[in-house]
Amino acid sequence: MKKFLDDNFLIDNEIGELLYENYAKDMPIIDYHCHVNPAEIADNKKYKNITEVWLGGDHYKWRAMRSCGIPERVITGNSTDEEKFKAFCSAMPYLIGNPMYHWSHLELKRYFDYDGIICPENSDEIWKLTQEKLAEDSMSVRGIISRSNVALLCTTDDPADDLANHIKIAEDKSFTTKVLPAFRPDNAMKIQKPGFKAYIEKLSAVVGVEIKDFKTLGDVLASRIQYFNVLGCKTADHGMDDYYLYDGSVPSGQALSIADAAFKKAMRGEDVPNDLALVYRSAMIKVLASEYTKYGWVMQLHMGVLRNTNSIMFANHGADFGYDTIGSFSIKSLAELLDALDREGILPKTVLYSINPNDNAALATLIGCFQHTSEESEGLNNMMKIQHGSAWWFNDNKNGMTAQLENLGNLSALGKFIGMLTDSRSFLSYTRHEYFRRVLCNVLGGYVERGEYPCDIETLAQMVCDICYNNTKDYFGFNNI
């Protein structure tokens, strides 16, 4: 029987152990998609207690607590931070098999030097220890990032953001981790979402331009992309929650006219029908993709989420409170979108993620349909132009990661993969990179142990270093790190 969380945690073969310990373990981290708050980095925030850093905005933990029957009062309600933490501890023994159990113990072990078990009996001890540790300067936000060996991270930023926090971070040369903005235009894409009109008015105020039609909106977003680019942005991220991602049935000129009519309808406060909304989104993604291509950005598409399923809790709390689930989307419409962008010469480097594990094989094969080897792609340093993104959200566990890696290996080129991201709001989540690297080394070592790949340590070591760091750096064009 293996000891819980031992040195070879998640690794069951000797080659995997060697690859992790000698190569993967100490590679720097590039976290190219997360949801941490850049203001907390700019201000070098220090947390009062473990609840603030652990439970403040983590819907993964909230869902786990609800699954154990814990009342909302001690999850997101008005109880004290200590009560909330102890409620979380009371749920932990039931979470066998849940990655939350592993992540939480890894975080206590790596950041607080605590080797005990998270349970009600130890909750007082953990509360006191973590409170003392968090008071130390080394556990400020920047201290956590530095001790996590993070070379670069990308936050998630709205086009209307002035990026003042990013400017402040960049001007402070004492902090060596690069912190770059990432462009997230969802609020301008989701024309049927309540608040769309108010958002456009806010964007107008930020840029000092009246956005009166679809063309003006496109021009304004292009100007914001240029601004983000000046501040080092290399990627844009889209949450594409709709089943149909693209409608190519309408000729381009007519599509622009329909998109304009849909926009004006929304700005009058009128409901926009689904068919018009789809044409609007299809036209807007072309406008944006053209700009991403101009600047050499990477476009990331997150797909398949069914959001805000519990209408009562959505009314009480709003979005991102743990009431989203696995949905689906049309692979056919995604293929049509990529093809349309490709035909017009505006298909940027693109990363595809699905929240549904059933889509792994489809995405791994679809990316192979758009891997051009031509003059226009020579700057990719022999990288795949289209990537299948890492196991995302509900797939972010041992089985999900293993399945994604094996599908990519079966159907594409695993050695060219760009590896892990946290997709997290917590600065303690960098242990997820350790978790991923252990799973990766176990998968690679397994191929060797079963005689499915030569025991060529030099090639395997290079592959590990590439997937953990080098491929990401090259693919996104993260220079000078």
Short mmCIF file of all heavy atoms in Angstrom, two decimals, residues 164-197:
data_model
loop_
_atom_site.label_atom_id
_atom_site.label_comp_id
_atom_site.label_asym_id
_atom_site.label_seq_id
_atom_site.Cartn_x
_atom_site.Cartn_y
_atom_site.Cartn_z
N ALA A 164 -5.02 49.37 -15.62
CA ALA A 164 -4.15 50.15 -14.73
C ALA A 164 -3.32 49.25 -13.82
O ALA A 164 -2.16 49.55 -13.53
CB ALA A 164 -5.00 51.11 -13.89
N ASN A 165 -3.91 48.16 -13.36
CA ASN A 165 -3.16 47.24 -12.49
C ASN A 165 -2.02 46.57 -13.23
O ASN A 165 -0.94 46.36 -12.66
CB ASN A 165 -4.11 46.20 -11.89
CG ASN A 165 -5.05 46.80 -10.87
OD1 ASN A 165 -4.61 47.42 -9.91
ND2 ASN A 165 -6.34 46.62 -11.07
N HIS A 166 -2.23 46.26 -14.49
CA HIS A 166 -1.16 45.67 -15.28
C HIS A 166 -0.02 46.67 -15.49
O HIS A 166 1.15 46.30 -15.46
CB HIS A 166 -1.70 45.19 -16.63
CG HIS A 166 -2.44 43.89 -16.53
ND1 HIS A 166 -1.81 42.67 -16.58
CD2 HIS A 166 -3.76 43.63 -16.36
CE1 HIS A 166 -2.69 41.71 -16.45
NE2 HIS A 166 -3.89 42.27 -16.31
N ILE A 167 -0.38 47.91 -15.70
CA ILE A 167 0.65 48.95 -15.86
C ILE A 167 1.46 49.08 -14.57
O ILE A 167 2.69 49.16 -14.58
CB ILE A 167 0.00 50.29 -16.24
CG1 ILE A 167 -0.64 50.17 -17.63
CG2 ILE A 167 1.02 51.42 -16.21
CD1 ILE A 167 -1.51 51.36 -18.01
N LYS A 168 0.76 49.07 -13.43
CA LYS A 168 1.42 49.18 -12.13
C LYS A 168 2.37 48.00 -11.90
O LYS A 168 3.50 48.19 -11.43
CB LYS A 168 0.37 49.24 -11.03
CG LYS A 168 0.94 49.41 -9.63
CD LYS A 168 -0.19 49.51 -8.61
CE LYS A 168 0.35 49.62 -7.19
NZ LYS A 168 -0.75 49.71 -6.18
N ILE A 169 1.94 46.81 -12.22
CA ILE A 169 2.78 45.62 -12.05
C ILE A 169 4.01 45.71 -12.94
O ILE A 169 5.14 45.42 -12.50
CB ILE A 169 1.97 44.34 -12.35
CG1 ILE A 169 0.82 44.17 -11.36
CG2 ILE A 169 2.88 43.11 -12.32
CD1 ILE A 169 -0.22 43.16 -11.78
N ALA A 170 3.81 46.08 -14.20
CA ALA A 170 4.91 46.14 -15.16
C ALA A 170 5.96 47.17 -14.76
O ALA A 170 7.15 47.00 -15.03
CB ALA A 170 4.37 46.44 -16.56
N GLU A 171 5.53 48.24 -14.13
CA GLU A 171 6.45 49.31 -13.74
C GLU A 171 7.30 48.94 -12.53
O GLU A 171 8.32 49.57 -12.28
CB GLU A 171 5.67 50.59 -13.47
CG GLU A 171 5.11 51.23 -14.74
CD GLU A 171 4.25 52.45 -14.45
OE1 GLU A 171 3.84 52.63 -13.27
OE2 GLU A 171 3.96 53.21 -15.39
N ASP A 172 6.87 47.94 -11.79
CA ASP A 172 7.61 47.52 -10.59
C ASP A 172 8.62 46.44 -10.98
O ASP A 172 8.28 45.26 -11.10
CB ASP A 172 6.64 46.99 -9.54
CG ASP A 172 7.33 46.65 -8.22
OD1 ASP A 172 8.58 46.68 -8.18
OD2 ASP A 172 6.62 46.35 -7.25
N LYS A 173 9.86 46.84 -11.18
CA LYS A 173 10.89 45.91 -11.66
C LYS A 173 11.36 44.94 -10.57
O LYS A 173 12.12 44.01 -10.87
CB LYS A 173 12.08 46.70 -12.21
CG LYS A 173 11.72 47.68 -13.33
CD LYS A 173 10.99 46.99 -14.47
CE LYS A 173 10.61 47.99 -15.57
NZ LYS A 173 9.80 47.36 -16.65
N SER A 174 10.94 45.15 -9.33
CA SER A 174 11.34 44.24 -8.27
C SER A 174 10.61 42.90 -8.34
O SER A 174 11.04 41.91 -7.75
CB SER A 174 11.09 44.88 -6.90
OG SER A 174 9.69 45.03 -6.66
N PHE A 175 9.48 42.89 -9.08
CA PHE A 175 8.70 41.65 -9.22
C PHE A 175 9.02 41.06 -10.59
O PHE A 175 8.74 41.67 -11.63
CB PHE A 175 7.22 41.98 -9.10
CG PHE A 175 6.32 40.76 -9.14
CD1 PHE A 175 6.51 39.71 -8.26
CD2 PHE A 175 5.27 40.69 -10.04
CE1 PHE A 175 5.68 38.59 -8.29
CE2 PHE A 175 4.44 39.59 -10.07
CZ PHE A 175 4.65 38.54 -9.20
N THR A 176 9.61 39.88 -10.61
CA THR A 176 10.16 39.35 -11.86
C THR A 176 9.18 38.51 -12.67
O THR A 176 9.42 38.27 -13.85
CB THR A 176 11.41 38.50 -11.55
OG1 THR A 176 11.06 37.45 -10.63
CG2 THR A 176 12.51 39.36 -10.93
N THR A 177 8.09 38.03 -12.08
CA THR A 177 7.10 37.28 -12.85
C THR A 177 6.37 38.21 -13.80
O THR A 177 5.89 39.27 -13.40
CB THR A 177 6.08 36.61 -11.91
OG1 THR A 177 6.75 35.72 -11.03
CG2 THR A 177 5.02 35.85 -12.71
N LYS A 178 6.29 37.81 -15.07
CA LYS A 178 5.53 38.61 -16.03
C LYS A 178 4.03 38.37 -15.83
O LYS A 178 3.58 37.23 -15.72
CB LYS A 178 5.92 38.23 -17.46
CG LYS A 178 7.14 38.95 -18.00
CD LYS A 178 7.30 38.66 -19.49
CE LYS A 178 8.41 39.49 -20.09
NZ LYS A 178 8.07 40.92 -20.16
N VAL A 179 3.27 39.46 -15.77
CA VAL A 179 1.82 39.37 -15.64
C VAL A 179 1.21 40.11 -16.82
O VAL A 179 1.35 41.33 -16.94
CB VAL A 179 1.34 39.99 -14.31
CG1 VAL A 179 -0.19 39.88 -14.20
CG2 VAL A 179 2.01 39.31 -13.13
N LEU A 180 0.56 39.36 -17.71
CA LEU A 180 0.03 39.94 -18.94
C LEU A 180 -1.49 39.88 -18.96
O LEU A 180 -2.09 38.94 -18.40
CB LEU A 180 0.57 39.19 -20.16
CG LEU A 180 2.10 39.16 -20.32
CD1 LEU A 180 2.47 38.37 -21.57
CD2 LEU A 180 2.68 40.56 -20.37
N PRO A 181 -2.13 40.84 -19.60
CA PRO A 181 -3.59 40.77 -19.76
C PRO A 181 -3.97 39.75 -20.83
O PRO A 181 -3.17 39.44 -21.72
CB PRO A 181 -3.97 42.18 -20.19
CG PRO A 181 -2.76 42.69 -20.92
CD PRO A 181 -1.57 42.06 -20.23
N ALA A 182 -5.16 39.23 -20.73
CA ALA A 182 -5.75 38.41 -21.79
C ALA A 182 -7.12 38.99 -22.11
O ALA A 182 -7.89 39.35 -21.20
CB ALA A 182 -5.87 36.95 -21.37
N PHE A 183 -7.42 39.09 -23.37
CA PHE A 183 -8.61 39.79 -23.87
C PHE A 183 -9.82 38.86 -23.81
O PHE A 183 -9.82 37.78 -24.40
CB PHE A 183 -8.34 40.22 -25.31
CG PHE A 183 -9.33 41.16 -25.93
CD1 PHE A 183 -9.34 42.50 -25.57
CD2 PHE A 183 -10.22 40.72 -26.90
CE1 PHE A 183 -10.23 43.39 -26.17
CE2 PHE A 183 -11.11 41.59 -27.50
CZ PHE A 183 -11.12 42.93 -27.13
N ARG A 184 -10.88 39.25 -23.08
CA ARG A 184 -12.07 38.41 -22.93
C ARG A 184 -13.32 39.21 -23.34
O ARG A 184 -13.92 39.90 -22.53
CB ARG A 184 -12.20 37.95 -21.48
CG ARG A 184 -13.41 37.05 -21.19
CD ARG A 184 -13.18 35.61 -21.59
NE ARG A 184 -14.29 34.76 -21.25
CZ ARG A 184 -14.18 33.58 -20.63
NH1 ARG A 184 -12.98 33.13 -20.30
NH2 ARG A 184 -15.23 32.86 -20.36
N PRO A 185 -13.71 39.14 -24.62
CA PRO A 185 -14.79 40.00 -25.13
C PRO A 185 -16.19 39.41 -25.00
O PRO A 185 -17.09 39.78 -25.76
CB PRO A 185 -14.40 40.16 -26.59
CG PRO A 185 -13.78 38.84 -26.95
CD PRO A 185 -13.07 38.37 -25.69
N ASP A 186 -16.42 38.51 -24.05
CA ASP A 186 -17.72 37.84 -23.95
C ASP A 186 -18.87 38.83 -23.82
O ASP A 186 -19.96 38.62 -24.39
CB ASP A 186 -17.74 36.89 -22.74
CG ASP A 186 -16.89 35.65 -22.96
OD1 ASP A 186 -16.18 35.59 -23.98
OD2 ASP A 186 -16.93 34.75 -22.11
N ASN A 187 -18.68 39.90 -23.06
CA ASN A 187 -19.78 40.85 -22.84
C ASN A 187 -20.21 41.55 -24.11
O ASN A 187 -21.36 41.99 -24.23
CB ASN A 187 -19.36 41.89 -21.79
CG ASN A 187 -19.33 41.31 -20.39
OD1 ASN A 187 -20.15 40.46 -20.04
ND2 ASN A 187 -18.37 41.74 -19.59
N ALA A 188 -19.29 41.64 -25.08
CA ALA A 188 -19.65 42.24 -26.37
C ALA A 188 -20.21 41.21 -27.34
O ALA A 188 -20.86 41.58 -28.32
CB ALA A 188 -18.43 42.92 -26.98
N MET A 189 -19.98 39.95 -27.07
CA MET A 189 -20.45 38.87 -27.95
C MET A 189 -21.87 38.42 -27.60
O MET A 189 -22.65 38.09 -28.48
CB MET A 189 -19.51 37.66 -27.83
CG MET A 189 -18.12 37.87 -28.41
SD MET A 189 -18.10 37.80 -30.21
CE MET A 189 -18.47 36.06 -30.49
N LYS A 190 -22.19 38.43 -26.31
CA LYS A 190 -23.44 37.82 -25.85
C LYS A 190 -24.57 38.84 -25.90
O LYS A 190 -24.99 39.42 -24.89
CB LYS A 190 -23.24 37.24 -24.45
CG LYS A 190 -22.22 36.11 -24.47
CD LYS A 190 -22.00 35.48 -23.12
CE LYS A 190 -21.00 34.32 -23.21
NZ LYS A 190 -20.74 33.68 -21.91
N ILE A 191 -25.09 39.01 -27.10
CA ILE A 191 -26.06 40.07 -27.38
C ILE A 191 -27.40 39.82 -26.69
O ILE A 191 -28.17 40.76 -26.47
CB ILE A 191 -26.23 40.21 -28.91
CG1 ILE A 191 -26.98 41.49 -29.26
CG2 ILE A 191 -26.92 38.99 -29.51
CD1 ILE A 191 -26.97 41.82 -30.74
N GLN A 192 -27.70 38.58 -26.33
CA GLN A 192 -28.98 38.27 -25.67
C GLN A 192 -28.89 38.35 -24.15
O GLN A 192 -29.90 38.22 -23.46
CB GLN A 192 -29.45 36.87 -26.08
CG GLN A 192 -29.82 36.76 -27.56
CD GLN A 192 -30.09 35.32 -27.95
OE1 GLN A 192 -29.23 34.46 -27.85
NE2 GLN A 192 -31.31 35.07 -28.41
N LYS A 193 -27.71 38.55 -23.64
CA LYS A 193 -27.51 38.56 -22.19
C LYS A 193 -28.06 39.83 -21.58
O LYS A 193 -27.85 40.93 -22.10
CB LYS A 193 -26.01 38.45 -21.89
CG LYS A 193 -25.67 38.36 -20.41
CD LYS A 193 -24.17 38.22 -20.21
CE LYS A 193 -23.81 38.15 -18.74
NZ LYS A 193 -22.34 38.03 -18.56
N PRO A 194 -28.79 39.72 -20.45
CA PRO A 194 -29.25 40.94 -19.77
C PRO A 194 -28.05 41.82 -19.43
O PRO A 194 -27.02 41.35 -18.98
CB PRO A 194 -29.92 40.39 -18.50
CG PRO A 194 -30.32 38.99 -18.84
CD PRO A 194 -29.26 38.48 -19.79
N GLY A 195 -28.19 43.08 -19.66
CA GLY A 195 -27.09 43.99 -19.38
C GLY A 195 -26.23 44.31 -20.57
O GLY A 195 -25.25 45.07 -20.46
N PHE A 196 -26.54 43.72 -21.75
CA PHE A 196 -25.73 43.98 -22.94
C PHE A 196 -25.71 45.47 -23.28
O PHE A 196 -24.66 46.06 -23.53
CB PHE A 196 -26.28 43.18 -24.13
CG PHE A 196 -25.57 43.45 -25.43
CD1 PHE A 196 -24.35 42.83 -25.72
CD2 PHE A 196 -26.10 44.32 -26.37
CE1 PHE A 196 -23.69 43.08 -26.91
CE2 PHE A 196 -25.45 44.58 -27.57
CZ PHE A 196 -24.24 43.96 -27.84
N LYS A 197 -26.88 46.10 -23.28
CA LYS A 197 -26.98 47.52 -23.62
C LYS A 197 -26.14 48.36 -22.64
O LYS A 197 -25.39 49.26 -23.06
CB LYS A 197 -28.44 47.96 -23.58
CG LYS A 197 -28.68 49.43 -23.92
CD LYS A 197 -30.19 49.71 -23.96
CE LYS A 197 -30.49 51.16 -24.38
NZ LYS A 197 -30.11 52.12 -23.32
#
